Amino acid sequence: GDSVTQMEGPVTLSEEAFLTINCTYTATGYPSLFWYVQYPGEGLQLLLKATKADDKGSNKGFEATYRKETTSFHLEKGSVQVSDSAVYFCALGTGGGNKLTFGTGTQLKVEL
Amino acid sequence: DTGVSQDPRHKITKRGQNVTFRCDPISEHNRLYWYRQTLGQGPEFLTYFQNEAQLEKSRLLSDRFSAERPKGSFSTLEIQRTEQGDSAMYLCASSSVLAGVKDTQYFGPGTRLTVL
């Protein structure tokens, strides 16, 4: 079945450090790929998405490229801020209903 | 858009009781999804509707669970004879499908259920 594997957290970085959160997937067909973010005390928010191979999703300085050959969708940001502290979920959407399959989430803590 | 809303935000119940949650999607979104999220895990798909039709149900959705979307707008999720293992955050999401193009799912704040 469909599955998403993402690196375990927590990931602790200093402000302005480079961020990579790895995400790989297994799916039949051609899924859409997503990164959602959950800030403390808030609901899930879409961060970025890519719908086909080689697409790059970007938002708020975050980027991820849909790599079909490596079945990956790694999240990157060049310079993190304290306000980026949150839990990040990688997800894929499949089927006619585009139901989402999520990874277990990676908690990011950014310190001054 | 006012966003997806869910009610109640928190529910504490005793084992064996029935509970019902409500979700109001973004207006004019024709798809509505229910997910369940337990502590330290990502959300897991339960079921989804397109308009009033329930098109897919996960095997996670036991016969104690029932979801409805009678007029194609708001949806309810009922859990009968609750068990402690039902304790989780129940998330609702909505999206729009036009001319076969699938839009992004937007999530509500969730209903946190605690079964004592």
Side-chain angles (χ1 to χ4, degrees), chain B residues 58-78:
Chain B
S58 163
R59 59 180 172 77
L60 293 175
L61 212 66
S62 75
D63 56 7
R64 295 185 298 105
F65 288 71
S66 63
E68 295 183 341
R69 194 184 184 200
K71 297 182 179 179
S73 57
F74 73 92
S75 175
T76 58
L77 177 67
E78 180 183 18

mmCIF file of all heavy atoms in Angstrom, chain B residues 58-78:
data_model
loop_
_atom_site.group_PDB
_atom_site.id
_atom_site.type_symbol
_atom_site.label_atom_id
_atom_site.label_comp_id
_atom_site.label_asym_id
_atom_site.label_seq_id
_atom_site.Cartn_x
_atom_site.Cartn_y
_atom_site.Cartn_z
ATOM 1 N N SER B 58 -12.177 3.868 4.935
ATOM 2 C CA SER B 58 -11.002 3.103 5.327
ATOM 3 C C SER B 58 -11.420 1.900 6.170
ATOM 4 O O SER B 58 -12.468 1.919 6.831
ATOM 5 C CB SER B 58 -10.061 3.996 6.126
ATOM 6 O OG SER B 58 -9.125 3.232 6.851
ATOM 7 N N ARG B 59 -10.564 0.888 6.188
ATOM 8 C CA ARG B 59 -10.831 -0.256 7.070
ATOM 9 C C ARG B 59 -10.717 0.150 8.536
ATOM 10 O O ARG B 59 -11.142 -0.565 9.424
ATOM 11 C CB ARG B 59 -9.856 -1.388 6.764
ATOM 12 C CG ARG B 59 -8.402 -1.010 6.928
ATOM 13 C CD ARG B 59 -7.476 -2.170 6.606
ATOM 14 N NE ARG B 59 -6.094 -1.764 6.592
ATOM 15 C CZ ARG B 59 -5.362 -1.540 7.681
ATOM 16 N NH1 ARG B 59 -5.895 -1.702 8.877
ATOM 17 N NH2 ARG B 59 -4.104 -1.160 7.586
ATOM 18 N N LEU B 60 -10.134 1.337 8.792
ATOM 19 C CA LEU B 60 -10.073 1.866 10.160
ATOM 20 C C LEU B 60 -11.462 2.229 10.676
ATOM 21 O O LEU B 60 -11.692 2.325 11.880
ATOM 22 C CB LEU B 60 -9.191 3.117 10.212
ATOM 23 C CG LEU B 60 -7.705 2.957 9.954
ATOM 24 C CD1 LEU B 60 -7.044 4.326 9.935
ATOM 25 C CD2 LEU B 60 -7.059 2.061 10.996
ATOM 26 N N LEU B 61 -12.376 2.457 9.746
ATOM 27 C CA LEU B 61 -13.714 2.899 10.110
ATOM 28 C C LEU B 61 -14.562 1.668 10.448
ATOM 29 O O LEU B 61 -15.240 1.110 9.579
ATOM 30 C CB LEU B 61 -14.334 3.687 8.955
ATOM 31 C CG LEU B 61 -15.293 4.813 9.314
ATOM 32 C CD1 LEU B 61 -14.578 5.921 10.042
ATOM 33 C CD2 LEU B 61 -15.958 5.350 8.060
ATOM 34 N N SER B 62 -14.514 1.275 11.731
ATOM 35 C CA SER B 62 -15.262 0.084 12.131
ATOM 36 C C SER B 62 -16.756 0.377 12.070
ATOM 37 O O SER B 62 -17.185 1.516 11.855
ATOM 38 C CB SER B 62 -14.864 -0.320 13.548
ATOM 39 O OG SER B 62 -15.453 0.552 14.487
ATOM 40 N N ASP B 63 -17.559 -0.663 12.321
ATOM 41 C CA ASP B 63 -19.004 -0.472 12.237
ATOM 42 C C ASP B 63 -19.550 0.370 13.376
ATOM 43 O O ASP B 63 -20.735 0.715 13.391
ATOM 44 C CB ASP B 63 -19.728 -1.822 12.148
ATOM 45 C CG ASP B 63 -19.371 -2.737 13.298
ATOM 46 O OD1 ASP B 63 -18.665 -2.283 14.231
ATOM 47 O OD2 ASP B 63 -19.772 -3.911 13.260
ATOM 48 N N ARG B 64 -18.700 0.741 14.334
ATOM 49 C CA ARG B 64 -19.151 1.663 15.381
ATOM 50 C C ARG B 64 -19.103 3.118 14.898
ATOM 51 O O ARG B 64 -19.622 4.003 15.548
ATOM 52 C CB ARG B 64 -18.277 1.529 16.624
ATOM 53 C CG ARG B 64 -18.379 0.171 17.306
ATOM 54 C CD ARG B 64 -17.578 0.148 18.603
ATOM 55 N NE ARG B 64 -16.152 0.367 18.388
ATOM 56 C CZ ARG B 64 -15.507 1.501 18.668
ATOM 57 N NH1 ARG B 64 -16.160 2.528 19.200
ATOM 58 N NH2 ARG B 64 -14.211 1.605 18.448
ATOM 59 N N PHE B 65 -18.452 3.328 13.790
ATOM 60 C CA PHE B 65 -18.299 4.673 13.234
ATOM 61 C C PHE B 65 -19.271 4.868 12.072
ATOM 62 O O PHE B 65 -19.402 3.987 11.216
ATOM 63 C CB PHE B 65 -16.875 4.879 12.698
ATOM 64 C CG PHE B 65 -15.811 5.002 13.750
ATOM 65 C CD1 PHE B 65 -15.433 3.904 14.495
ATOM 66 C CD2 PHE B 65 -15.181 6.210 13.973
ATOM 67 C CE1 PHE B 65 -14.442 4.015 15.462
ATOM 68 C CE2 PHE B 65 -14.181 6.332 14.931
ATOM 69 C CZ PHE B 65 -13.817 5.227 15.679
ATOM 70 N N SER B 66 -19.903 6.012 12.039
ATOM 71 C CA SER B 66 -20.732 6.332 10.878
ATOM 72 C C SER B 66 -20.606 7.813 10.573
ATOM 73 O O SER B 66 -20.549 8.647 11.480
ATOM 74 C CB SER B 66 -22.192 5.954 11.113
ATOM 75 O OG SER B 66 -22.725 6.697 12.186
ATOM 76 N N ALA B 67 -20.526 8.115 9.301
ATOM 77 C CA ALA B 67 -20.406 9.501 8.860
ATOM 78 C C ALA B 67 -21.503 9.794 7.852
ATOM 79 O O ALA B 67 -21.885 8.937 7.063
ATOM 80 C CB ALA B 67 -19.033 9.752 8.246
ATOM 81 N N GLU B 68 -21.979 11.032 7.915
ATOM 82 C CA GLU B 68 -23.027 11.456 6.992
ATOM 83 C C GLU B 68 -22.740 12.858 6.487
ATOM 84 O O GLU B 68 -22.082 13.658 7.162
ATOM 85 C CB GLU B 68 -24.396 11.466 7.699
ATOM 86 C CG GLU B 68 -24.893 10.122 8.132
ATOM 87 C CD GLU B 68 -26.284 10.232 8.760
ATOM 88 O OE1 GLU B 68 -26.673 11.337 9.170
ATOM 89 O OE2 GLU B 68 -26.960 9.182 8.850
ATOM 90 N N ARG B 69 -23.280 13.129 5.334
ATOM 91 C CA ARG B 69 -23.236 14.486 4.791
ATOM 92 C C ARG B 69 -24.538 14.678 4.018
ATOM 93 O O ARG B 69 -24.562 14.701 2.799
ATOM 94 C CB ARG B 69 -22.016 14.679 3.881
ATOM 95 C CG ARG B 69 -21.728 16.137 3.558
ATOM 96 C CD ARG B 69 -20.575 16.286 2.594
ATOM 97 N NE ARG B 69 -20.263 17.694 2.390
ATOM 98 C CZ ARG B 69 -19.582 18.168 1.353
ATOM 99 N NH1 ARG B 69 -19.131 17.338 0.418
ATOM 100 N NH2 ARG B 69 -19.336 19.457 1.251
ATOM 101 N N PRO B 70 -25.619 14.824 4.748
ATOM 102 C CA PRO B 70 -26.950 14.675 4.150
ATOM 103 C C PRO B 70 -27.294 15.670 3.039
ATOM 104 O O PRO B 70 -28.004 15.327 2.117
ATOM 105 C CB PRO B 70 -27.890 14.847 5.354
ATOM 106 C CG PRO B 70 -27.080 15.542 6.384
ATOM 107 C CD PRO B 70 -25.673 15.124 6.179
ATOM 108 N N LYS B 71 -26.838 16.870 3.113
ATOM 109 C CA LYS B 71 -27.211 17.860 2.094
ATOM 110 C C LYS B 71 -25.992 18.332 1.310
ATOM 111 O O LYS B 71 -26.050 19.343 0.623
ATOM 112 C CB LYS B 71 -27.917 19.049 2.738
ATOM 113 C CG LYS B 71 -29.226 18.677 3.409
ATOM 114 C CD LYS B 71 -29.917 19.892 3.991
ATOM 115 C CE LYS B 71 -31.233 19.487 4.645
ATOM 116 N NZ LYS B 71 -31.927 20.655 5.255
ATOM 117 N N GLY B 72 -24.927 17.612 1.442
ATOM 118 C CA GLY B 72 -23.731 17.983 0.703
ATOM 119 C C GLY B 72 -23.019 19.196 1.259
ATOM 120 O O GLY B 72 -22.154 19.767 0.589
ATOM 121 N N SER B 73 -23.397 19.599 2.489
ATOM 122 C CA SER B 73 -22.711 20.746 3.098
ATOM 123 C C SER B 73 -21.951 20.262 4.323
ATOM 124 O O SER B 73 -20.869 19.709 4.186
ATOM 125 C CB SER B 73 -23.699 21.861 3.430
ATOM 126 O OG SER B 73 -24.716 21.370 4.284
ATOM 127 N N PHE B 74 -22.518 20.418 5.534
ATOM 128 C CA PHE B 74 -21.812 19.976 6.731
ATOM 129 C C PHE B 74 -21.847 18.451 6.817
ATOM 130 O O PHE B 74 -22.631 17.778 6.137
ATOM 131 C CB PHE B 74 -22.432 20.607 7.983
ATOM 132 C CG PHE B 74 -23.770 20.039 8.352
ATOM 133 C CD1 PHE B 74 -23.887 18.971 9.233
ATOM 134 C CD2 PHE B 74 -24.941 20.575 7.822
ATOM 135 C CE1 PHE B 74 -25.116 18.443 9.574
ATOM 136 C CE2 PHE B 74 -26.181 20.056 8.149
ATOM 137 C CZ PHE B 74 -26.271 18.988 9.022
ATOM 138 N N SER B 75 -20.988 17.922 7.662
ATOM 139 C CA SER B 75 -20.915 16.470 7.868
ATOM 140 C C SER B 75 -20.886 16.172 9.366
ATOM 141 O O SER B 75 -20.438 17.014 10.161
ATOM 142 C CB SER B 75 -19.663 15.897 7.210
ATOM 143 O OG SER B 75 -19.512 14.513 7.490
ATOM 144 N N THR B 76 -21.379 15.013 9.733
ATOM 145 C CA THR B 76 -21.258 14.530 11.109
ATOM 146 C C THR B 76 -20.539 13.185 11.127
ATOM 147 O O THR B 76 -20.667 12.393 10.193
ATOM 148 C CB THR B 76 -22.637 14.376 11.772
ATOM 149 O OG1 THR B 76 -23.428 13.475 10.996
ATOM 150 C CG2 THR B 76 -23.338 15.716 11.894
ATOM 151 N N LEU B 77 -19.781 12.989 12.177
ATOM 152 C CA LEU B 77 -19.112 11.711 12.425
ATOM 153 C C LEU B 77 -19.565 11.234 13.794
ATOM 154 O O LEU B 77 -19.386 11.933 14.791
ATOM 155 C CB LEU B 77 -17.588 11.886 12.406
ATOM 156 C CG LEU B 77 -16.752 10.640 12.717
ATOM 157 C CD1 LEU B 77 -16.898 9.595 11.612
ATOM 158 C CD2 LEU B 77 -15.273 10.996 12.908
ATOM 159 N N GLU B 78 -20.197 10.080 13.829
ATOM 160 C CA GLU B 78 -20.684 9.527 15.089
ATOM 161 C C GLU B 78 -19.879 8.283 15.446
ATOM 162 O O GLU B 78 -19.594 7.449 14.573
ATOM 163 C CB GLU B 78 -22.167 9.151 14.994
ATOM 164 C CG GLU B 78 -22.711 8.574 16.299
ATOM 165 C CD GLU B 78 -24.170 8.132 16.213
ATOM 166 O OE1 GLU B 78 -24.670 7.941 15.090
ATOM 167 O OE2 GLU B 78 -24.784 7.975 17.287
#
